[in-house]
Amino acid sequence: VKSQTTLGRFFNLS
Amino acid sequence: MLEARLEQAGVLKKVVDAIRDLVQDINFDCNDSGIALQAMDNSHVALVSMLLKSEGFSPYRLDRNIALGINLTSLTKVLRCAQNEDILTLKAEDTPDTLSLIFENAENDRISEYELKLMDIDQEHLGIPETEYAAAISMPSAEFQRICRDLIQLSDSVTIEASKEGVKFSCSGDIGSGSVTLRQQNNVDKPDLSTKIELTEPVTLTFSLKYLVNFCKASALSSVVTLSLSNEVPLLVEYAMGSGFVRFYLAPKIGE
């Protein structure tokens, strides 16, 4: 089973 | 102040139609490079990044950088009052409360003027790292739209596999499974119908189809779409326009 990631995991929130 | 004149109101209408189901309240950031926006959807799974380059406007006048806080549902209502072929002029003061939209027909005998109230929008900006993607696939945007709409009938996720042989979109759900494989091909007569695959290493990633179907609303902007993938990073879906782009980023689904 795969779960949905969010963009914050890959990109820096600035 | 800002004064930006666009030959075809239809361009802005198509851009707004492409993104308004994903994001609602956005800032149009106006600076020397043009009018840009970056916004995430509420779930922080997808991001839209748009640029209408200043060269695409004639004239493009801007005294200082401004952010126009806009509700896209409201902007859509005003843009419905424009014909696609109308000339569109955007005007705003340096610290604007409203955005003026002026629509003129090509014959120059009708001028419509609308004022849209602006909002204060506090926006999170994502630092998007420069990425060298392992695979870049360009294909007809209508083909990508058809594949996404077909596969979402069977499943809520699609696995995209890019290899030297081609690109395979596959899904599996309660009623069964399905896949579509595209081979690289060069259409000499109609380059827009070509499928090109640039690959440095094979990639396999899984994404939510709901978002991809949503991105495909941008198909009206460009007959070609480019998918850029690397293992374990967000997918980039790009629709290039003559003088700008709409890009979507989508976080992958990852196994535990």
Side-chain angles (χ1 to χ4, degrees), chain B residues 168-217:
Chain B
K168 184 176 182 184
F169 300 85
S170 56
C171 73
S172 167
D174 292 342
I175 65 160
S177 61
S179 73
V180 180
T181 304
L182 299 180
R183 296 213 172 80
Q184 183 149 228
Q185 53 88 10
N186 190 23
N187 191 319
V188 181
D189 297 330
K190 293 176 181 167
D192 284 4
L193 297 180
S194 298
T195 299
K196 293 180 200 150
I197 301 170
E198 285 170 42
L199 195 80
T200 53
E201 60 172 346
V203 184
T204 302
L205 279 168
T206 299
F207 299 99
S208 162
L209 276 163
K210 178 182 74 174
Y211 289 95
L212 294 178
V213 166
N214 214 323
F215 299 168
C216 287
K217 289 175 183 158

Side-chain angles (χ1 to χ4, degrees), chain A residues 3-5 7 10-12 14, chain B residues 44 125 127 232 251-252 254 256:
Chain A
S3 51
Q4 179 66 61
T5 59
L7 290 169
F10 308 97
F11 298 159
N12 286 328
S14 59
Chain B
H44 289 198
H125 267 256
E232 308 260 313
I254 289 180
E256 296 307 312

Side-chain angles (χ1 to χ4, degrees), chain B residues 112-128:
Chain B
S112 315
E113 297 183 79
Y114 293 85
E115 297 262 309
L116 182 67
K117 288 181 190 167
L118 298 176
M119 317 161 63
D120 264 331
I121 295 166
D122 223 7
Q123 214 154 38
E124 283 176 299
H125 267 256
L126 277 181
I128 302 169

